[in-house]
Amino acid sequence: MSSLSNKRIILGVTGGIAAYKSAEVVRRLQDQGADVRVVMTPAASEFIRPLTMQALSGHPVHSDLLDSEAEAGMGHIELARWADLLLIAPASADFIANMVHGKADSLLGAIHLATPAKVAVAPAMNQAMWSHPASLANIDALEQRGVTIIGPDQGIQACGDIGPGRMEQPDSIVSSAGSLFQNGLLSGKKIVITAGPTREALDPVRYISNHSSGKMGFALATAARDAGAVVTVVSGPVSIAAPERCTFISVVSAQDMLDASLATAADADIFIAAAAVADYRATTVADQKIKKQGDNMTISLEKNPDIVSAVALANPGLFVVGFAAETQDVETYARDKLQRKNLGAIIANDVSLTDIGFNADDNEVIWIDRSSSVIFSKRSKTQLARDIIEHLAKNQVS
Ligand code: C5P
């Protein structure tokens, strides 16, 4: 699977003779599985018709910052947030200078400022313009900000000059774009992740559950997807948005989560159990709302199935990762759980600390497998998830 598969790319086209090649860039990006939206500057439309780009990309072309119809569809901020990559090809000398100064006088300029996505530019200009100290300083400034510069190519130019400044060939632009997502560490791997709490009914209106937010499981799903995996999330009831571009299976009880996990893990490569499964459920679930009776009441509970153990047992070739929330002797208890549940690795954290773990945005964990342990010091769950996925991919997945 290509590292551009499922990636959302805004192709920015600025004015220059090379703009005709951006049609080819759209095609090549799509061949790699990317979802492409085109944004053109007014000057670009002098070189290639927006209709051509619309037909190729299969979506309306965005060009005007003040177009109320386009803004009503996908506004420029929304578009900026939507993207994984802003790729500007061709990028004219003028547009590059505008980027350096953070100008937002065009739709593309505004998107450039608003996007959290990676940014890459493929410059295209006359060789003398490219070699001018101003252009070179501008390129240097963009590079220092983390913008990827693709090319330019050398050769005969449209004006007859020979030298550097031609836009890179579409093939090599697309391959450079692909290498920006070269965390294709889990390309083609199938991962199932359980997340959130489970809810165990007592009667039609009451249940037993816990405060798990689902954040850690969802962050792992996003990180695994970004690493190229095909991800299925089996989640209990949570109030945060489902991770995008993952198959999402919503469940309620531990039994539902077990059924969905066994069904999806059968053809997976990796199973990560990040859910906080209720340990017990009611022995019988009342059909009607249970009435108040006397000062005390007793509820009879029975043990829930252990999902991660059942999945590990049913799928001997699967790499299974569990979590362990402990309040003391974290590593000792976690290691015991690793053996008992037949896991490939366990991620342990100390839940006696209130600023990390359960329902918090940060976490600090120890990765423990049969031969080693690695400490991941306190960081955001998003960053931690990326680091865990990278560690898992590099060390455990063949
Ligand atoms: O036994 P304990 O609940 O501490 O184990 C935690 C790990 O086991 C987590 O990975 C959790 O998702 C998983 N688990 C499970 N099914 C259960 C209980 C825990 O999959 N019934």
Side-chain angles (χ1 to χ4, degrees):
M1 190 187 293
S2 157
S3 59
L4 288 175
S5 168
N6 254 336
K7 291 291 175 288
R8 294 164 165 181
I9 300 180
I10 295 175
L11 176 65
V13 185
T14 71
I17 186 63
Y20 79 94
K21 288 195 198 164
S22 54
E24 185 68 15
V25 176
V26 173
R27 271 264 191 271
R28 299 289 165 104
L29 289 170
Q30 288 174 330
D31 289 347
Q32 301 291 313
D35 186 359
V36 185
R37 304 295 153 94
V38 178
V39 176
M40 296 174 74
T41 62
S45 316
E46 302 290 331
F47 293 90
I48 185 163
R49 304 262 304 145
L51 201 57
T52 308
M53 302 303 273
Q54 176 170 324
L56 286 173
S57 67
H59 296 281
V61 168
H62 303 254
S63 47
D64 188 353
L65 191 53
L66 305 174
D67 179 343
S68 51
E69 204 175 304
E71 285 291 300
M74 196 191 297
H76 66 282
I77 299 293
E78 207 181 329
L79 194 57
R81 286 201 194 117
W82 169 88
D84 297 311
L85 170 66
L86 169 62
L87 170 63
I88 303 171
S92 64
D94 180 56
F95 193 80
I96 288 170
N98 281 343
M99 287 174 78
V100 171
H101 291 285
K103 292 188 75 171
D105 54 355
S106 67
L107 176 64
L108 191 55
I111 288 174
H112 162 240
L113 290 188
T115 191
K118 301 171 198 289
V119 181
V121 300
M125 65 196 79
N126 165 272
Q127 56 82 25
M129 290 169 75
W130 170 257
S131 308
H132 194 283
S135 299
L136 297 177
N138 285 341
I139 289 292
D140 204 35
L142 291 186
E143 267 186 319
Q144 298 222 357
R145 270 181 219 160
V147 173
T148 301
I149 311 296
I150 304 172
D153 200 3
Q154 305 251 356
I156 301 182
Q157 303 200 298
C159 54
D161 280 6
I162 298 177
R166 284 192 344 179
M167 188 172 87
E168 264 301 349
Q169 292 306 317
D171 262 353
S172 89
I173 291 177
V174 172
S175 106
S176 299
S179 60
L180 292 175
F181 297 98
Q182 254 337 332
N183 177 4
L185 285 168
L186 291 176
S187 263
K189 299 285 179 195
K190 287 191 175 168
I191 303 201
V192 178
I193 300 175
T194 66
T198 64
R199 217 178 248 186
E200 311 300 331
L202 297 176
D203 69 14
V205 294
R206 303 187 181 91
Y207 55 81
I208 300 173
S209 191
N210 59 64
H211 289 295
S212 169
S213 61
K215 282 179 191 161
M216 194 64 226
F218 286 16
L220 285 165
T222 304
R225 178 204 72 200
D226 286 348
V230 175
V231 182
T232 298
V233 179
V234 181
S235 175
V238 293
S239 55
I240 58 172
E244 292 185 3
R245 287 170 278 160
C246 297
T247 302
F248 193 78
I249 303 177
S250 193
V251 296
V252 177
S253 68
Q255 186 61 48
D256 300 341
M257 189 175 272
L258 174 68
D259 296 343
S261 298
L262 285 173
T264 50
D267 68 343
D269 301 289
I270 300 165
F271 182 81
I272 303 179
V277 184
D279 290 328
Y280 292 90
R281 63 185 172 201
T283 312
T284 51
V285 180
D287 288 342
Q288 305 297 328
K289 186 179 168 197
I290 300 168
K291 290 284 177 208
K292 222 176 286 171
Q293 311 148 354
D295 287 343
N296 299 299
M297 84 173 287
T298 306
I299 300 169
S300 165
L301 301 176
E302 64 185 14
K303 211 161 187 197
N304 257 328
D306 193 300
I307 298 166
V308 75
S309 303
V311 167
L313 191 67
N315 302 281
L318 187 65
F319 188 76
V320 180
V321 182
F323 273 76
E326 306 293 346
T327 53
Q328 56 180 339
D329 295 332
V330 176
E331 187 156 351
T332 314
Y333 283 120
R335 244 180 218 295
D336 171 61
K337 214 165 276 183
L338 177 80
Q339 305 284 350
R340 215 165 8 91
K341 299 198 181 209
N342 203 15
L343 309 177
I346 192 154
I347 298 166
N349 61 342
D350 186 341
V351 286
S352 66
L353 310 169
T354 51
D355 58 335
I356 59 168
F358 237 54
N359 224 347
D361 288 328
D362 290 342
N363 208 352
E364 174 182 314
V365 301
I366 315 176
W367 163 286
I368 300 164
D369 56 38
R370 284 172 194 258
S371 56
S372 66
S373 66
V374 180
I375 295 173
F376 291 87
S377 58
K378 185 176 165 183
R379 60 199 84 178
S380 74
K381 284 184 177 170
T382 310
Q383 188 55 47
L384 182 65
R386 286 195 201 116
D387 296 339
I388 288 173
I389 290 294
E390 186 178 336
H391 184 76
L392 189 159
K394 287 188 174 157
N395 294 282
Q396 315 295 331
V397 182
S398 52

